[in-house]
PDB file of all heavy atoms in Angstrom:
ATOM      1  N   GLY A 101      73.814  67.826 134.071  1.00  0.00           N
ATOM      2  CA  GLY A 101      72.553  67.701 134.795  1.00  0.00           C
ATOM      3  C   GLY A 101      71.448  67.011 134.037  1.00  0.00           C
ATOM      4  O   GLY A 101      70.371  66.745 134.586  1.00  0.00           O
ATOM      5  N   LEU A 102      71.658  66.709 132.776  1.00  0.00           N
ATOM      6  CA  LEU A 102      70.620  66.055 131.966  1.00  0.00           C
ATOM      7  C   LEU A 102      70.723  64.536 132.109  1.00  0.00           C
ATOM      8  O   LEU A 102      71.792  63.955 131.927  1.00  0.00           O
ATOM      9  CB  LEU A 102      70.768  66.447 130.500  1.00  0.00           C
ATOM     10  CG  LEU A 102      69.757  65.829 129.522  1.00  0.00           C
ATOM     11  CD1 LEU A 102      68.340  66.275 129.845  1.00  0.00           C
ATOM     12  CD2 LEU A 102      70.126  66.173 128.077  1.00  0.00           C
ATOM     13  N   ILE A 103      69.595  63.896 132.437  1.00  0.00           N
ATOM     14  CA  ILE A 103      69.568  62.437 132.573  1.00  0.00           C
ATOM     15  C   ILE A 103      68.356  61.868 131.853  1.00  0.00           C
ATOM     16  O   ILE A 103      67.359  62.569 131.639  1.00  0.00           O
ATOM     17  CB  ILE A 103      69.533  62.002 134.058  1.00  0.00           C
ATOM     18  CG1 ILE A 103      68.272  62.548 134.737  1.00  0.00           C
ATOM     19  CG2 ILE A 103      70.797  62.435 134.794  1.00  0.00           C
ATOM     20  CD1 ILE A 103      68.125  62.102 136.187  1.00  0.00           C
ATOM     21  N   ILE A 104      68.463  60.605 131.469  1.00  0.00           N
ATOM     22  CA  ILE A 104      67.322  59.884 130.910  1.00  0.00           C
ATOM     23  C   ILE A 104      66.907  58.833 131.939  1.00  0.00           C
ATOM     24  O   ILE A 104      67.736  58.054 132.408  1.00  0.00           O
ATOM     25  CB  ILE A 104      67.657  59.226 129.550  1.00  0.00           C
ATOM     26  CG1 ILE A 104      66.401  58.575 128.939  1.00  0.00           C
ATOM     27  CG2 ILE A 104      68.785  58.230 129.654  1.00  0.00           C
ATOM     28  CD1 ILE A 104      65.449  59.550 128.310  1.00  0.00           C
ATOM     29  N   SER A 105      65.659  58.877 132.367  1.00  0.00           N
ATOM     30  CA  SER A 105      65.150  57.906 133.355  1.00  0.00           C
ATOM     31  C   SER A 105      64.332  56.843 132.641  1.00  0.00           C
ATOM     32  O   SER A 105      63.435  57.177 131.841  1.00  0.00           O
ATOM     33  CB  SER A 105      64.289  58.626 134.395  1.00  0.00           C
ATOM     34  OG  SER A 105      65.092  59.455 135.218  1.00  0.00           O
ATOM     35  N   VAL A 106      64.650  55.589 132.929  1.00  0.00           N
ATOM     36  CA  VAL A 106      63.945  54.460 132.303  1.00  0.00           C
ATOM     37  C   VAL A 106      63.070  53.796 133.369  1.00  0.00           C
ATOM     38  O   VAL A 106      63.564  53.368 134.421  1.00  0.00           O
ATOM     39  CB  VAL A 106      64.940  53.441 131.720  1.00  0.00           C
ATOM     40  CG1 VAL A 106      64.186  52.315 131.004  1.00  0.00           C
ATOM     41  CG2 VAL A 106      65.915  54.125 130.759  1.00  0.00           C
ATOM     42  N   PHE A 107      61.762  53.718 133.091  1.00  0.00           N
ATOM     43  CA  PHE A 107      60.799  53.184 134.051  1.00  0.00           C
ATOM     44  C   PHE A 107      60.494  51.715 133.740  1.00  0.00           C
ATOM     45  O   PHE A 107      60.640  51.269 132.581  1.00  0.00           O
ATOM     46  CB  PHE A 107      59.515  54.009 134.017  1.00  0.00           C
ATOM     47  CG  PHE A 107      59.694  55.423 134.510  1.00  0.00           C
ATOM     48  CD1 PHE A 107      60.222  56.422 133.682  1.00  0.00           C
ATOM     49  CD2 PHE A 107      59.338  55.747 135.814  1.00  0.00           C
ATOM     50  CE1 PHE A 107      60.382  57.714 134.144  1.00  0.00           C
ATOM     51  CE2 PHE A 107      59.494  57.046 136.276  1.00  0.00           C
ATOM     52  CZ  PHE A 107      60.027  58.030 135.440  1.00  0.00           C
ATOM     53  N   PRO A 108      60.071  50.970 134.770  1.00  0.00           N
ATOM     54  CA  PRO A 108      59.707  49.553 134.556  1.00  0.00           C
ATOM     55  C   PRO A 108      58.676  49.362 133.462  1.00  0.00           C
ATOM     56  O   PRO A 108      58.638  48.318 132.796  1.00  0.00           O
ATOM     57  CB  PRO A 108      59.164  49.127 135.921  1.00  0.00           C
ATOM     58  CG  PRO A 108      59.855  50.023 136.893  1.00  0.00           C
ATOM     59  CD  PRO A 108      59.973  51.343 136.192  1.00  0.00           C
ATOM     60  N   SER A 109      57.825  50.376 133.264  1.00  0.00           N
ATOM     61  CA  SER A 109      56.795  50.287 132.220  1.00  0.00           C
ATOM     62  C   SER A 109      57.380  50.405 130.814  1.00  0.00           C
ATOM     63  O   SER A 109      56.696  50.146 129.822  1.00  0.00           O
ATOM     64  CB  SER A 109      55.757  51.388 132.428  1.00  0.00           C
ATOM     65  OG  SER A 109      56.375  52.675 132.275  1.00  0.00           O
ATOM     66  N   GLY A 110      58.624  50.835 130.732  1.00  0.00           N
ATOM     67  CA  GLY A 110      59.250  51.028 129.424  1.00  0.00           C
ATOM     68  C   GLY A 110      59.325  52.488 129.007  1.00  0.00           C
ATOM     69  O   GLY A 110      60.001  52.834 128.027  1.00  0.00           O
ATOM     70  N   LYS A 111      58.646  53.364 129.753  1.00  0.00           N
ATOM     71  CA  LYS A 111      58.705  54.792 129.433  1.00  0.00           C
ATOM     72  C   LYS A 111      60.105  55.329 129.706  1.00  0.00           C
ATOM     73  O   LYS A 111      60.782  54.896 130.641  1.00  0.00           O
ATOM     74  CB  LYS A 111      57.692  55.572 130.263  1.00  0.00           C
ATOM     75  CG  LYS A 111      56.277  55.492 129.732  1.00  0.00           C
ATOM     76  CD  LYS A 111      55.375  56.478 130.476  1.00  0.00           C
ATOM     77  CE  LYS A 111      53.974  56.473 129.886  1.00  0.00           C
ATOM     78  NZ  LYS A 111      53.096  57.456 130.572  1.00  0.00           N
ATOM     79  N   LYS A 112      60.487  56.285 128.890  1.00  0.00           N
ATOM     80  CA  LYS A 112      61.795  56.924 129.068  1.00  0.00           C
ATOM     81  C   LYS A 112      61.585  58.441 129.106  1.00  0.00           C
ATOM     82  O   LYS A 112      61.051  59.014 128.150  1.00  0.00           O
ATOM     83  CB  LYS A 112      62.736  56.548 127.926  1.00  0.00           C
ATOM     84  CG  LYS A 112      62.997  55.047 127.831  1.00  0.00           C
ATOM     85  CD  LYS A 112      63.726  54.664 126.565  1.00  0.00           C
ATOM     86  CE  LYS A 112      63.848  53.145 126.434  1.00  0.00           C
ATOM     87  NZ  LYS A 112      64.490  52.734 125.171  1.00  0.00           N
ATOM     88  N   LYS A 113      61.996  59.074 130.205  1.00  0.00           N
ATOM     89  CA  LYS A 113      61.770  60.508 130.383  1.00  0.00           C
ATOM     90  C   LYS A 113      63.095  61.242 130.578  1.00  0.00           C
ATOM     91  O   LYS A 113      63.983  60.771 131.278  1.00  0.00           O
ATOM     92  CB  LYS A 113      60.864  60.765 131.584  1.00  0.00           C
ATOM     93  CG  LYS A 113      59.432  60.297 131.397  1.00  0.00           C
ATOM     94  CD  LYS A 113      58.569  60.710 132.587  1.00  0.00           C
ATOM     95  CE  LYS A 113      57.116  60.278 132.392  1.00  0.00           C
ATOM     96  NZ  LYS A 113      56.266  60.685 133.548  1.00  0.00           N
ATOM     97  N   TRP A 114      63.137  62.436 129.935  1.00  0.00           N
ATOM     98  CA  TRP A 114      64.289  63.310 130.120  1.00  0.00           C
ATOM     99  C   TRP A 114      64.058  64.166 131.365  1.00  0.00           C
ATOM    100  O   TRP A 114      63.021  64.796 131.513  1.00  0.00           O
ATOM    101  CB  TRP A 114      64.477  64.228 128.917  1.00  0.00           C
ATOM    102  CG  TRP A 114      64.880  63.521 127.653  1.00  0.00           C
ATOM    103  CD1 TRP A 114      64.102  63.239 126.588  1.00  0.00           C
ATOM    104  CD2 TRP A 114      66.176  63.018 127.356  1.00  0.00           C
ATOM    105  NE1 TRP A 114      64.796  62.584 125.616  1.00  0.00           N
ATOM    106  CE2 TRP A 114      66.104  62.440 126.061  1.00  0.00           C
ATOM    107  CE3 TRP A 114      67.393  62.978 128.032  1.00  0.00           C
ATOM    108  CZ2 TRP A 114      67.199  61.844 125.448  1.00  0.00           C
ATOM    109  CZ3 TRP A 114      68.485  62.389 127.406  1.00  0.00           C
ATOM    110  CH2 TRP A 114      68.389  61.830 126.139  1.00  0.00           C
ATOM    111  N   VAL A 115      65.034  64.186 132.251  1.00  0.00           N
ATOM    112  CA  VAL A 115      64.933  64.950 133.497  1.00  0.00           C
ATOM    113  C   VAL A 115      66.181  65.808 133.638  1.00  0.00           C
ATOM    114  O   VAL A 115      67.306  65.343 133.397  1.00  0.00           O
ATOM    115  CB  VAL A 115      64.801  64.018 134.722  1.00  0.00           C
ATOM    116  CG1 VAL A 115      64.721  64.838 136.013  1.00  0.00           C
ATOM    117  CG2 VAL A 115      63.565  63.131 134.574  1.00  0.00           C
ATOM    118  N   LEU A 116      65.982  67.058 134.016  1.00  0.00           N
ATOM    119  CA  LEU A 116      67.110  67.972 134.242  1.00  0.00           C
ATOM    120  C   LEU A 116      67.274  68.198 135.738  1.00  0.00           C
ATOM    121  O   LEU A 116      66.339  68.619 136.421  1.00  0.00           O
ATOM    122  CB  LEU A 116      66.875  69.309 133.538  1.00  0.00           C
ATOM    123  CG  LEU A 116      67.959  70.369 133.751  1.00  0.00           C
ATOM    124  CD1 LEU A 116      69.291  69.917 133.124  1.00  0.00           C
ATOM    125  CD2 LEU A 116      67.531  71.724 133.168  1.00  0.00           C
ATOM    126  N   SER A 117      68.456  67.916 136.229  1.00  0.00           N
ATOM    127  CA  SER A 117      68.780  68.170 137.627  1.00  0.00           C
ATOM    128  C   SER A 117      69.567  69.476 137.702  1.00  0.00           C
ATOM    129  O   SER A 117      70.561  69.644 136.983  1.00  0.00           O
ATOM    130  CB  SER A 117      69.613  67.008 138.192  1.00  0.00           C
ATOM    131  OG  SER A 117      69.937  67.243 139.549  1.00  0.00           O
ATOM    132  N   TYR A 118      69.116  70.404 138.543  1.00  0.00           N
ATOM    133  CA  TYR A 118      69.763  71.730 138.591  1.00  0.00           C
ATOM    134  C   TYR A 118      69.653  72.321 139.993  1.00  0.00           C
ATOM    135  O   TYR A 118      68.827  71.900 140.809  1.00  0.00           O
ATOM    136  CB  TYR A 118      69.114  72.673 137.579  1.00  0.00           C
ATOM    137  CG  TYR A 118      67.657  72.961 137.867  1.00  0.00           C
ATOM    138  CD1 TYR A 118      67.277  74.103 138.580  1.00  0.00           C
ATOM    139  CD2 TYR A 118      66.645  72.092 137.431  1.00  0.00           C
ATOM    140  CE1 TYR A 118      65.938  74.355 138.858  1.00  0.00           C
ATOM    141  CE2 TYR A 118      65.314  72.342 137.711  1.00  0.00           C
ATOM    142  CZ  TYR A 118      64.973  73.481 138.424  1.00  0.00           C
ATOM    143  OH  TYR A 118      63.653  73.737 138.718  1.00  0.00           O
ATOM    144  N   ARG A 119      70.497  73.296 140.265  1.00  0.00           N
ATOM    145  CA  ARG A 119      70.459  74.026 141.532  1.00  0.00           C
ATOM    146  C   ARG A 119      69.939  75.432 141.281  1.00  0.00           C
ATOM    147  O   ARG A 119      70.333  76.087 140.318  1.00  0.00           O
ATOM    148  CB  ARG A 119      71.846  74.099 142.182  1.00  0.00           C
ATOM    149  CG  ARG A 119      72.361  72.754 142.683  1.00  0.00           C
ATOM    150  CD  ARG A 119      73.668  72.916 143.448  1.00  0.00           C
ATOM    151  NE  ARG A 119      73.482  73.604 144.720  1.00  0.00           N
ATOM    152  CZ  ARG A 119      73.059  73.013 145.841  1.00  0.00           C
ATOM    153  NH1 ARG A 119      72.781  71.708 145.847  1.00  0.00           N
ATOM    154  NH2 ARG A 119      72.925  73.707 146.955  1.00  0.00           N
ATOM    155  N   HIS A 120      69.047  75.882 142.159  1.00  0.00           N
ATOM    156  CA  HIS A 120      68.490  77.225 142.035  1.00  0.00           C
ATOM    157  C   HIS A 120      68.279  77.785 143.433  1.00  0.00           C
ATOM    158  O   HIS A 120      67.611  77.170 144.263  1.00  0.00           O
ATOM    159  CB  HIS A 120      67.164  77.183 141.261  1.00  0.00           C
ATOM    160  CG  HIS A 120      66.636  78.544 140.905  1.00  0.00           C
ATOM    161  ND1 HIS A 120      67.386  79.474 140.226  1.00  0.00           N
ATOM    162  CD2 HIS A 120      65.426  79.126 141.140  1.00  0.00           C
ATOM    163  CE1 HIS A 120      66.666  80.565 140.042  1.00  0.00           C
ATOM    164  NE2 HIS A 120      65.475  80.383 140.598  1.00  0.00           N
ATOM    165  N   HIS A 121      68.881  78.951 143.678  1.00  0.00           N
ATOM    166  CA  HIS A 121      68.833  79.580 145.000  1.00  0.00           C
ATOM    167  C   HIS A 121      69.330  78.626 146.093  1.00  0.00           C
ATOM    168  O   HIS A 121      68.770  78.547 147.187  1.00  0.00           O
ATOM    169  CB  HIS A 121      67.405  80.044 145.339  1.00  0.00           C
ATOM    170  CG  HIS A 121      66.897  81.119 144.421  1.00  0.00           C
ATOM    171  ND1 HIS A 121      67.630  82.237 144.098  1.00  0.00           N
ATOM    172  CD2 HIS A 121      65.716  81.235 143.743  1.00  0.00           C
ATOM    173  CE1 HIS A 121      66.928  83.008 143.276  1.00  0.00           C
ATOM    174  NE2 HIS A 121      65.753  82.417 143.041  1.00  0.00           N
ATOM    175  N   GLY A 122      70.368  77.862 145.759  1.00  0.00           N
ATOM    176  CA  GLY A 122      70.989  76.982 146.741  1.00  0.00           C
ATOM    177  C   GLY A 122      70.284  75.657 146.945  1.00  0.00           C
ATOM    178  O   GLY A 122      70.713  74.847 147.780  1.00  0.00           O
ATOM    179  N   LYS A 123      69.226  75.381 146.239  1.00  0.00           N
ATOM    180  CA  LYS A 123      68.471  74.135 146.410  1.00  0.00           C
ATOM    181  C   LYS A 123      68.558  73.281 145.152  1.00  0.00           C
ATOM    182  O   LYS A 123      68.554  73.801 144.035  1.00  0.00           O
ATOM    183  CB  LYS A 123      67.001  74.430 146.723  1.00  0.00           C
ATOM    184  CG  LYS A 123      66.785  75.130 148.063  1.00  0.00           C
ATOM    185  CD  LYS A 123      65.294  75.345 148.317  1.00  0.00           C
ATOM    186  CE  LYS A 123      65.052  76.022 149.663  1.00  0.00           C
ATOM    187  NZ  LYS A 123      63.616  76.216 149.939  1.00  0.00           N
ATOM    188  N   GLN A 124      68.621  71.973 145.358  1.00  0.00           N
ATOM    189  CA  GLN A 124      68.660  71.038 144.243  1.00  0.00           C
ATOM    190  C   GLN A 124      67.241  70.764 143.763  1.00  0.00           C
ATOM    191  O   GLN A 124      66.339  70.503 144.568  1.00  0.00           O
ATOM    192  CB  GLN A 124      69.330  69.726 144.670  1.00  0.00           C
ATOM    193  CG  GLN A 124      69.702  68.804 143.529  1.00  0.00           C
ATOM    194  CD  GLN A 124      70.809  69.375 142.646  1.00  0.00           C
ATOM    195  OE1 GLN A 124      71.634  70.159 143.113  1.00  0.00           O
ATOM    196  NE2 GLN A 124      70.812  68.996 141.375  1.00  0.00           N
ATOM    197  N   ASN A 125      67.033  70.835 142.473  1.00  0.00           N
ATOM    198  CA  ASN A 125      65.702  70.643 141.891  1.00  0.00           C
ATOM    199  C   ASN A 125      65.792  69.733 140.671  1.00  0.00           C
ATOM    200  O   ASN A 125      66.879  69.522 140.108  1.00  0.00           O
ATOM    201  CB  ASN A 125      65.095  71.983 141.475  1.00  0.00           C
ATOM    202  CG  ASN A 125      64.914  72.937 142.623  1.00  0.00           C
ATOM    203  OD1 ASN A 125      63.946  72.841 143.360  1.00  0.00           O
ATOM    204  ND2 ASN A 125      65.845  73.873 142.780  1.00  0.00           N
ATOM    205  N   GLN A 126      64.641  69.239 140.256  1.00  0.00           N
ATOM    206  CA  GLN A 126      64.554  68.456 139.027  1.00  0.00           C
ATOM    207  C   GLN A 126      63.360  68.926 138.198  1.00  0.00           C
ATOM    208  O   GLN A 126      62.336  69.327 138.753  1.00  0.00           O
ATOM    209  CB  GLN A 126      64.414  66.962 139.336  1.00  0.00           C
ATOM    210  CG  GLN A 126      65.700  66.304 139.812  1.00  0.00           C
ATOM    211  CD  GLN A 126      65.606  64.793 139.824  1.00  0.00           C
ATOM    212  OE1 GLN A 126      64.519  64.221 139.919  1.00  0.00           O
ATOM    213  NE2 GLN A 126      66.749  64.130 139.693  1.00  0.00           N
TER     214      GLN A 126
END
């Protein structure tokens, strides 16, 4: 569930994708 997102501006952010109570969240 761990991803690195690269933005056009050059910023790089760590994002965690997970499920909680049956719903997908980030």
Side-chain angles (χ1 to χ4, degrees):
L102 179 63
I103 61 177
I104 185 77
S105 291
V106 183
F107 294 81
S109 64
K111 280 189 176 182
K112 299 170 186 177
K113 292 185 178 180
W114 292 104
V115 179
L116 177 65
S117 180
Y118 64 96
R119 292 186 69 82
H120 189 54
H121 296 312
K123 295 182 179 181
Q124 193 67 28
N125 299 279
Q126 286 192 336

